[in-house]
Amino acid sequence: MQFDGLVLLSYGGPNKPDDVMPFLRNATGGRGVPDERLEHVAQHYFLFGGKSPINALNADLAHSLRTELTRRGVNIPLVIGNRNWTPYVTDALSTLYDAGARNVLAIPTSAYHSYSSSIQYQEDIDRALGELTSRGITDLSVTKAAPYYDRPAFASANARAIREAMGDAPARIAFVTHSIPLSMEESSGTPSYRQQHMDVIAAILEQIPAPTSWDLVYCSRSGSPRVPWLEPDINDYLESSEPERTVIAPIGFISDHMEVAYDLDTQARATCERLGIQMVRSATVGTDPAFISLLADIVTSQERISHD
């Protein structure tokens, strides 16, 4: 299939303080989370002026990918579509349709496969297509790209960032990703969500100096404390470990959005400072040329497009 439009699928985030609570209500819709709890989470965003870093970072990502595609002679419209804030997926697809696109490729800004990081994006697409059909748009096709955690360039881009963070001094590495409920882990397929990360770690370790030790840890758990999630949390891990130089490597995220900016750069850093741990945070893949080339390859190759 020849794609004539591209949408980057993302979680979305507020652009100003007045957006924060409506955004959080969108993100937790249907789960009965009271505003009192949301107001607590909202403080994380207010630390950053009520504006999530994700929007500007996605714009940078889109610009870099558009530039690389143009270099390859691929000139198709590219837009961003969000799950929980403007521009929503429906509006993004409508924009592409108005630009003449009929066969659209959708690439999630998440490399791994689980319900929340992959399948839910397909649900977003299906819901958006249903809304567009109700408006009389029936000739639009959208195909979601497969997860890309296992592409060599993804591990290479992370390894490059980790090598730079490690420098010449001994360090252990805490590889960090977003926690998910154990029930979601168990239904995430083969390899499982956790194993996907272990596979990426194995590829990274082949490309960096040997750390003193390493672990896969998690951040950003939410919801009822009675529901088991993947552990250990990054802060619990730091509390229970020796106070040695630690590289925190956010391999579960492709950019420095709120889970990185707050959970790691703010919360985990405060834990490290209290415990006397020298913390160095490696960069996310962001607009690393190898990562951008990986995304461009997905657009231009036709391989492994569908997973869910």
Side-chain angles (χ1 to χ4, degrees):
M1 179 184 296
Q2 186 67 40
F3 297 110
D4 54 12
L6 176 61
V7 57
L8 294 177
L9 300 174
S10 185
Y11 191 78
N15 287 302
K16 58 183 184 299
D18 287 347
D19 294 345
V20 173
M21 284 299 289
F23 160 76
L24 291 174
R25 292 187 188 109
N26 283 348
T28 60
R31 286 189 275 165
V33 180
D35 271 7
E36 291 78 8
R37 168 59 183 157
L38 297 183
E39 287 168 358
H40 173 75
V41 177
Q43 298 308 311
H44 302 174
Y45 290 90
F46 293 141
L47 285 174
F48 298 86
K51 181 178 182 178
S52 172
I54 197 170
N55 301 306
L57 294 169
N58 281 340
D60 290 343
L61 179 67
H63 173 75
S64 295
L65 180 53
R66 189 179 292 110
T67 300
E68 174 61 16
L69 289 172
T70 299
R71 188 189 69 80
R72 298 186 185 196
V74 179
N75 295 292
I76 60 175
L78 188 167
V79 298
I80 296 167
N82 296 325
R83 176 179 301 157
N84 296 304
W85 203 245
T86 58
Y88 293 106
V89 176
T90 302
D91 299 326
L93 294 181
S94 180
T95 296
L96 289 176
Y97 188 85
D98 291 343
R102 296 297 181 267
N103 296 306
V104 172
L105 176 64
I107 302 180
T109 54
S110 173
Y112 299 88
H113 181 262
S114 71
Y115 172 72
S116 61
S117 61
S118 182
I119 296 173
Q120 198 169 7
Y121 282 116
Q122 183 63 56
E123 294 178 352
D124 294 338
I125 293 168
D126 294 342
R127 187 178 306 109
L129 287 174
E131 293 178 17
L132 293 175
T133 296
S134 70
R135 302 179 193 175
I137 297 176
T138 60
D139 56 339
L140 179 64
S141 172
V142 182
T143 304
K144 184 177 76 64
Y148 42 85
Y149 69 91
D150 57 347
R151 295 196 174 224
F154 183 69
S156 296
N158 276 290
R160 185 160 38 253
I162 293 169
R163 283 197 305 271
E164 183 174 341
M166 290 179 74
D168 297 326
R172 68 180 171 202
I173 303 175
F175 295 99
V176 189
T177 191
H178 202 302
S179 186
I180 59 173
L182 289 186
S183 58
M184 192 182 296
E185 157 71 7
E186 292 163 359
S187 64
S188 59
T190 304
S192 70
Y193 177 78
R194 180 181 183 279
Q195 186 59 49
Q196 293 165 38
H197 288 80
M198 295 298 287
D199 291 347
V200 172
I201 291 170
I204 290 172
L205 291 173
E206 293 179 351
Q207 303 177 55
I208 64 173
T212 57
S213 63
W214 63 268
D215 292 275
L216 174 60
V217 301
Y218 303 90
C219 69
S220 308
R221 79 152 286 163
S222 60
S224 170
R226 296 186 294 275
V227 176
W229 285 50
L230 287 173
E231 296 178 338
D233 174 80
I234 176 63
N235 293 286
D236 294 337
Y237 165 79
L238 293 168
E239 291 277 3
S240 63
S241 60
E242 295 298 319
E244 64 176 297
R245 183 171 183 263
T246 301
V247 172
I248 292 183
I251 63 167
F253 308 95
I254 70 167
S255 64
D256 294 8
H257 49 74
M258 191 57 70
E259 284 85 348
V260 176
Y262 179 78
D263 294 45
L264 302 184
D265 290 348
T266 304
Q267 196 172 45
R269 187 173 296 280
T271 300
C272 285
E273 290 175 354
R274 177 168 53 80
L275 297 173
I277 296 172
Q278 181 187 355
M279 170 184 156
V280 184
R281 207 263 290 165
S282 67
T284 47
V285 292
T287 56
D288 179 281
F291 179 61
I292 296 301
S293 182
L294 180 162
L295 297 182
D297 287 346
I298 292 174
V299 177
T300 58
S301 71
Q302 308 302 307
E303 298 177 2
R304 296 177 53 237
I305 292 298
S306 182
H307 184 284
D308 301 325

